[in-house]
Amino acid sequence: MNQEQIKEKYLPIGGYILFLAAGLLLFFSAAFLVVFVRTKSTAKVIVPDLVGKSYPEVHNELNRLQLKVRLENKRYPDKTDGIILYQSIRPGREIEAGSKIVLAVNTGVDRLLVPDVRGQSIDSARANLQKVLAGETYVELQIGGITYIEPQADQLPNTVIDQIPEPGKNTTSREKVFLLVTKAPSKTKEEFAPTSFQGASFPLVQKSLTRSGIKSRVEEIISTRVRTENGLIQSARMEGDEIRFKVFYFEPELAVESGYELFSYEVGDNGEYKAVVKPENQDVADVLTLPVSLKDGEKFQTIFYRKGSVKLTLLDATDSKVKSKSYESEL
C-alpha cells in the first residue's frame, strides 16, 4: 500500500476523531460552567432573629438576603400592629439564598372603609361613626375635630358638607375623622379666636375661612414623624387682617391614592397670589385660598388634601399661571 493510499484510508478517520474530541471538550466545558454557576448562585445566608421586630423595618434586609417571604396574618389586639409573631426557620440557621420563609405578622387593628357622613346632621354623623363595620365586628371611628363653615343658600345648618379622610378610604380604626359642618344661626356675636383652630385639619379650616372672606396663609411648615399629626394646625395667630398658621406635615413615602400634600414656591415679583386645584378629568378648579400679598423672594406655601390625581396652579393678580404642579397616585 503506497503512501497516498494510506492517507486516503486513515485521514477521514482522524478527522472524525478530532471532531469527536472537540465535541467532548465543549460538552465538558459547558457542564463545568453550569455546575459552577449553580454552585455560585446557591450562596449561604444566616437566618436572622425576626420575632418581635416590625415587618416593615426588616423587609429590605430580607430582600438583601434573597429570602422569599410568605406572610400569614394573625390578629392580637393587645400586641403591636405589624410585629412578627413567628418565623418558620429558626434564627442562626444557615440556608441557601432564595429559600422560602414563612412569617406570621400581627394585624392588631381593625381595618374598615370610611363611611360617607356628608349630608347628614352632625348628630347622625356622630352616631354612624360610633358604629362602623370592620370585618365581622363594629368599631368606633373617633372624630378628630369639627370645623364650622357659613352655609350657602341651599345648605341646612348643622350639616356635614365635607370630611377627611374621604368616604370609602380603606383605613384602620385608629384614624380620626375631621368634619366640615355648616354653622347654626346664632343670636349672639361670636368671638373670633385663632387659637381655637389648634389641632384642627388645616384644609377644612382654610376652606371655611375662604368662604367667610378671611385671608389666611401658612407661614411655617413643621416637619413631623407622627403620622396622626399630618395636616393638623400647630398654632395660629392674627397678623393684620390675615390669619397665619403653622401646620404639621408628614412626608409620604409614596404618592398614595389620597392624603395631605404640600405646595411651596418662592415668588419672583411683588403681588397677590392664590392657589387653585383641579381634579383629574374635571374642567372646574376649586379655589384653595384667597389672594395673599407676597414680596419678591417670599414663599407661597400651603397644605391641602388630595383625592386621586390633581393639579395645583399658582395664579397672580391677573389670574395668569405662575407655577403648576401635578400630584398623582402611584397605586
Side-chain angles (χ1 to χ4, degrees):
M1 185 177 296
N2 58 34
Q3 190 173 359
E4 290 202 12
Q5 289 176 325
I6 292 174
K7 285 183 180 181
E8 290 178 1
K9 182 176 181 179
Y10 293 104
L11 193 57
I13 297 175
Y16 174 77
I17 293 174
L18 182 61
F19 175 78
L20 182 62
L24 289 173
L25 179 62
L26 288 173
F27 172 79
F28 285 113
S29 298
F32 172 77
L33 286 174
V34 170
V35 171
F36 175 77
V37 170
R38 286 185 176 177
T39 302
K40 185 178 180 180
S41 64
T42 55
K44 300 293 184 180
V45 297
I46 303 297
V47 178
D49 188 358
L50 302 170
V51 174
K53 296 181 179 179
S54 171
Y55 175 70
E57 292 178 359
V58 302
H59 174 74
N60 291 337
E61 174 66 12
L62 295 174
N63 281 341
R64 187 186 67 79
L65 295 175
Q66 301 178 42
L67 294 179
K68 298 177 181 178
V69 179
R70 181 165 69 86
L71 298 180
E72 293 182 352
N73 293 325
K74 302 289 182 181
R75 186 173 183 274
Y76 295 91
D78 58 332
K79 295 183 181 294
T80 305
D81 191 50
I83 290 295
I84 298 172
L85 305 170
Y86 162 82
Q87 61 186 88
S88 61
I89 304 175
R90 61 175 174 79
R93 181 179 170 184
E94 187 178 66
I95 61 175
E96 292 182 355
S99 297
K100 181 186 291 185
I101 184 170
V102 180
L103 302 178
V105 178
N106 186 43
T107 54
V109 293
D110 298 288
R111 297 208 66 85
L112 50 83
L113 297 179
V114 177
D116 189 353
V117 296
R118 296 171 301 178
Q120 300 178 14
S121 69
I122 183 60
D123 291 336
S124 295
R126 287 183 190 275
N128 288 329
L129 290 172
Q130 287 174 353
K131 194 177 181 181
V132 181
L133 189 62
E136 298 179 354
T137 61
Y138 286 94
V139 298
E140 179 181 357
L141 268 179
Q142 292 186 353
I143 296 178
I146 299 174
T147 299
Y148 288 93
I149 188 171
E150 294 291 343
Q152 293 180 335
D154 59 342
Q155 293 176 333
L156 296 173
N158 288 323
T159 301
V160 179
I161 62 170
D162 202 0
Q163 65 181 82
I164 293 176
E166 74 280 8
K169 180 180 179 181
N170 190 329
T171 185
T172 73
S173 56
R174 292 177 179 173
E175 183 152 13
K176 294 182 179 181
V177 179
F178 293 84
L179 303 176
L180 187 63
V181 180
T182 52
K183 291 181 179 179
S186 177
K187 295 181 181 180
T188 60
K189 185 177 180 180
E190 298 179 4
E191 294 294 331
F192 183 75
T195 54
S196 65
F197 295 129
Q198 185 173 345
S201 174
F202 175 73
L204 296 183
V205 169
Q206 190 170 56
K207 189 172 184 178
S208 175
L209 295 176
T210 298
R211 180 176 292 188
S212 300
I214 300 173
K215 293 183 178 182
S216 64
R217 75 168 73 180
V218 177
E219 67 175 354
E220 184 179 348
I221 303 294
I222 302 175
S223 179
T224 179
R225 297 180 64 85
V226 181
R227 291 178 184 273
T228 54
E229 290 182 339
N230 197 13
L232 303 187
I233 296 170
Q234 192 262 358
S235 64
R237 66 182 183 89
M238 288 295 300
E239 180 73 22
D241 63 346
E242 190 177 81
I243 305 180
R244 301 195 174 187
F245 293 95
K246 294 181 180 181
V247 184
F248 291 112
Y249 183 65
F250 181 95
E251 184 72 31
E253 295 89 348
L254 296 172
V256 293
E257 184 64 26
S258 63
Y260 292 97
E261 298 283 6
L262 167 67
F263 176 83
S264 180
Y265 180 74
E266 185 178 298
V267 301
D269 295 295
N270 298 344
E272 292 195 329
Y273 298 85
K274 66 179 180 181
V276 298
V277 169
K278 187 171 74 171
E280 189 178 42
N281 301 323
Q282 290 190 21
D283 296 328
V284 180
D286 296 325
V287 178
L288 279 185
T289 65
L290 292 175
V292 294
S293 298
L294 297 174
K295 296 179 180 179
D296 179 13
E298 285 189 315
K299 284 186 177 180
F300 179 97
Q301 52 190 7
T302 189
I303 290 176
F304 65 100
Y305 191 85
R306 174 179 61 82
K307 306 169 189 175
S309 298
V310 301
K311 176 185 282 188
L312 183 146
T313 303
L314 182 64
L315 304 174
D316 61 16
T318 64
D319 282 347
S320 299
K321 183 178 77 171
V322 177
K323 177 70 176 179
S324 66
K325 182 178 179 180
S326 295
Y327 299 81
E328 298 180 352
S329 169
E330 291 182 0
L331 299 178

